[in-house]
Amino acid sequence: MRRGRRGTPAGEPSSVLADETEGYLLAHAHRHQAQREAEDLCARMPWLTTAQADELTAHYVRRRLDVTRQLMLGTVRRADELRQEYENRYTELQRALLRRHAAGACAVLACAAGVGALAGVLTR
C-alpha cells in the first residue's frame, strides 16, 4: 500500500485510513472488472437464459475474486518473507560494520599507545 509515502508513518490514524480506503477502492475496481468480464463472456453465449447468465456471472465473479484474493495473500506473504530476509541481512551488515569500526578504533588506540610509549622512551 502506501507505507512510508507522504511522510505519514505506518500505523498513524491517517495512514491507516488511507490504506483502508485504497484497499476498498482496489477491491471495488477488481470486482467491477470481474463483473465486466463475466458480462462479456455471457454476451458471447447468446443461448443462455437470463437466469443462466446471471448464475454464470455470479459464479465467475466469485471465482475471480477468490483467485485475486489468493494472489494478493501470496504477494503479502512473499513481501513479509522478503522484508524479514532484508532485515536479517541489514542486521548482519550493521554488526559487521560495528566490528570493523571497533577493530579500527582498537588499532588506532594501539598505535597511539605505541607512539606514546616510544615518545616516552625517547625523551628519557
Side-chain angles (χ1 to χ4, degrees):
M1 300 267 176
R2 65 174 6 81
R3 306 218 188 294
R5 282 195 262 168
R6 294 185 292 145
T8 305
E12 289 284 321
S14 59
S15 175
V16 171
L17 179 62
D19 288 346
E20 287 178 6
T21 303
E22 184 179 20
Y24 172 80
L25 292 174
L26 185 62
H28 184 71
H30 278 283
R31 182 173 190 69
H32 183 69
Q33 177 69 25
Q35 183 77 28
R36 232 179 312 135
E37 289 173 8
E39 289 169 358
D40 289 345
L41 177 65
C42 290
R44 285 184 260 142
M45 296 185 224
W47 61 87
L48 293 176
T49 65
T50 304
Q52 289 173 329
D54 290 345
E55 185 178 339
L56 180 62
T57 298
H59 176 72
Y60 181 89
V61 169
R62 272 193 316 273
R63 186 68 190 128
R64 170 75 187 278
L65 292 178
D66 287 344
V67 168
T68 300
R69 185 177 298 112
Q70 292 303 314
L71 287 172
M72 288 185 165
L73 289 174
T75 301
V76 167
R77 210 173 300 118
R78 182 63 181 143
D80 287 340
E81 290 171 3
L82 286 174
R83 182 182 308 112
Q84 189 61 46
E85 288 176 23
Y86 286 131
E87 285 176 357
N88 291 342
R89 180 66 179 145
Y90 183 72
T91 301
E92 289 175 17
L93 291 172
Q94 280 181 319
R95 288 181 181 150
L97 185 62
L98 180 62
R99 280 193 302 270
R100 289 180 184 143
H101 276 65
C106 288
V108 167
L109 287 174
C111 287
V115 167
L118 181 63
V121 169
L122 291 177
T123 57
R124 288 188 189 183

